[in-house]
Each structure stands twice: as C-alpha cells, then as structure tokens.
Amino acid sequence: MKIGCIQMNVGFGKVDENFTHAEELIREAVSQGAELVVLPEMWNTGYALEKLGELADKDGVRSKEFLQGLSTELGIHIVGGSVATEKDGKFYNTMYVYNNEGELVSEYSKVHLFRLMNEDQYLESGNEMNRFALGDVEAGGVICYDIRFPEWLRAHALAGANVLFVSAQWPTPRIDHWKTLLQARAIENQCFVIAVNRISRKVENFNGQSMIIEPWGEVLWTGSETEELAVIDVDFSKVEEIRSRIPVYDDRRPGLYGGVVEE
C-alpha cells in the first residue's frame, strides 16, 4: 500500500489556514499515488491550548465532514492525525480514521497527556484503545506522548495491530528520543510503525523527521526538517515473515508480568 506522510507546518491558532493547507497536501499525496494518508497531531489548531474555547472543533463536526468528504471523493484511507475537539464543554486531542469508502472506523482521544506542555490542565484524557482495520490492514493508532508507554502500544499489537500509526507534535530538543522510541516500538512489537510529526517555521520548535519503520527495525524512510510530503510503498506482508523468524508472541509469559498487559 502506498502511504502518504504529510509532515506539514501547522499554523498556531490558524484553523482555516490549516484546513486549507491540509487539503492541498492530501490532494497532492493522492496525485502521487497515495492510497492512505497520515496527518500530524493537532493540525487544526496547533498547541493553542489557552484558546481552545474559541478554536476547538465542536463535537468534531468540521473535522469529520472534512475527512469523510476527502476519503469518499478521493477513495483513500485517512488516518486523520489528531484535532482539538470540544465535547460536552470539555476539550480533547482526538484522532479520526476514515476508510476509503468514507466510513469512520475509529475515534480515539489521547490517553497519556503531556504535563510538561500543560495538556492535563486543558485537555481530558481518553480511556479507550484505538484498534481499526483499513482494507485488510489491521492497525492501531496513538498520539505523540503515548509512545513513551510501551505497554499501551503492546496492548494494541496484542489486539491484532500489524501497523501502529503515530501522529505527533514532537519537539526538536527531544527528537533523538522520538527516533529511538519509534524504532524500539517497531522491533518489540514486530510491526510497522508509521509516524508523522509536524514542523514549524517560526516560534514553535518542531523539526519533523517523520518515520516509517519496518518490523525488523529497519528505517524505510525518514523525513527532513522542513515541510515535506512523501509517498512510500509499504509491504505489510513483512509482519508475518518477521514474526515467524523470532516467535516473540509465542514466547511471552504474561502471567509473570503483573497483569500490566494480558492476552
């Protein structure tokens, strides 16, 4: 499957501009052959947390109409990164996933909130896993800080995910952690990791370096430090091959793990 990774600049609080730009990049990805596109975290607002009362997408209506419309018109799967949403007076960091028939197959609110950016002061955390299928590809999706919790990603893999999508706004000072953690998550779960980070041009300090990593830990593609659209062909059949070479899942002993991650 050809995967379009949209490593976009996100305007701080510039909702209309961000929607317009995301659409331009999605259409460009499809023109280059993408069958599935992935967006970064909080692409509708950026981290304008103090302005969520005026900027957050009420019940996700605009975001869902946008993603559904493009997935239907273009016949593509969309892992919609995440957007700032408002539900019942509370704010969430929410990922919507649509298949190529325009069906909403998953809705996930970020479970692990990053206190160093005051997410816990403005956002509510989600409480549910993000497992879904796109065609015959079994997948899971997480958001940014989630990747520092290996048990959370392992839970998705145990539930059947062969690819883990990661949408992020991961800052430049810790970009080495980003790359190392993503590679570790791919190796330990013997699955693909497709991770899309944002970039920034001015005040905010984000430098991209999105990644596609194979189940053996080999890096198939790394993004630059500037805005970039890449369309990469991914062979998901490699998951079964790698898992047969080293049967990690068969050799697990969950009874000794304190119930952290069970079957």
Side-chain angles (χ1 to χ4, degrees):
M1 183 181 291
K2 292 185 177 180
I3 310 297
C5 295
I6 297 179
Q7 182 177 282
M8 64 181 279
N9 179 62
V10 177
F12 184 84
K14 298 180 179 179
V15 176
D16 290 340
E17 289 185 20
N18 291 331
F19 270 90
T20 297
H21 193 39
E23 180 172 353
E24 291 171 348
L25 292 170
I26 291 170
R27 291 187 182 277
E28 176 60 27
V30 173
S31 75
Q32 295 182 28
E35 301 166 87
L36 184 158
V37 298
V38 188
L39 291 163
E41 180 185 17
M42 296 279 275
W43 61 263
N44 65 332
T45 62
Y47 262 84
L49 297 180
E50 295 181 355
K51 298 182 178 181
L52 290 180
E54 59 185 275
L55 299 177
D57 190 355
K58 180 69 172 178
D59 295 321
V61 171
R62 181 176 183 179
S63 300
K64 288 188 281 189
E65 289 180 351
F66 174 78
L67 297 170
Q68 182 182 44
L70 288 173
S71 63
T72 302
E73 175 193 346
L74 302 173
I76 57 169
H77 306 294
I78 302 179
V79 176
S82 75
V83 290
T85 60
E86 179 184 351
K87 306 172 192 175
D88 299 322
K90 297 179 180 180
F91 303 111
Y92 297 85
N93 184 343
T94 305
M95 175 184 288
Y96 298 114
V97 181
Y98 281 83
N99 66 18
N100 57 6
E101 296 181 348
E103 298 171 333
L104 178 64
V105 297
S106 182
E107 177 178 338
Y108 169 76
S109 290
K110 187 175 184 179
V111 165
H112 301 96
L113 300 180
F114 191 49
R115 288 185 288 171
L116 292 182
M117 289 186 70
N118 298 321
E119 285 186 343
D120 60 314
Q121 296 181 26
Y122 296 94
L123 301 171
E124 298 291 322
S125 62
N127 296 295
E128 297 182 0
M129 189 179 294
N130 190 21
R131 271 280 294 115
F132 53 90
L134 294 172
D136 59 359
V137 176
E138 297 293 331
V142 297
I143 300 172
C144 203
Y145 189 44
D146 282 336
I147 68 171
R148 288 190 181 272
F149 300 86
E151 61 271 35
W152 186 233
L153 277 71
R154 172 55 63 89
H156 286 73
L158 288 173
N162 293 328
V163 56
L164 294 169
F165 292 99
V166 182
S167 293
Q169 291 205 30
W170 198 281
T172 303
R174 295 185 292 278
I175 202 67
D176 287 343
H177 288 190
W178 161 258
K179 293 186 284 188
T180 301
L181 289 167
L182 291 173
Q183 199 166 12
R185 300 295 87 89
I187 293 169
E188 68 196 7
N189 292 303
Q190 297 179 319
C191 68
F192 279 90
V193 169
I194 297 175
V196 175
N197 195 23
R198 65 162 290 189
I199 65 102
S200 59
R201 298 194 180 107
K202 295 182 180 179
V203 178
E204 297 172 289
N205 196 6
F206 302 97
N207 68 339
Q209 301 191 54
S210 304
M211 301 180 77
I212 296 179
I213 304 168
E214 296 187 335
W216 199 243
E218 297 173 355
V219 178
L220 188 61
W221 169 76
T222 301
S224 67
E225 297 186 5
T226 61
E227 185 167 87
E228 181 174 359
L229 164 64
V231 177
I232 309 296
D233 201 1
V234 174
D235 180 5
F236 290 113
S237 69
K238 289 186 177 181
V239 174
E240 184 176 351
E241 172 196 342
I242 296 304
R243 289 180 178 177
S244 68
R245 289 167 66 180
I246 300 182
V248 170
Y249 288 83
D250 292 339
D251 293 337
R252 292 179 66 252
R253 299 183 64 189
L256 299 180
Y257 305 157
V260 176
V261 177
E262 294 293 348
E263 297 290 359

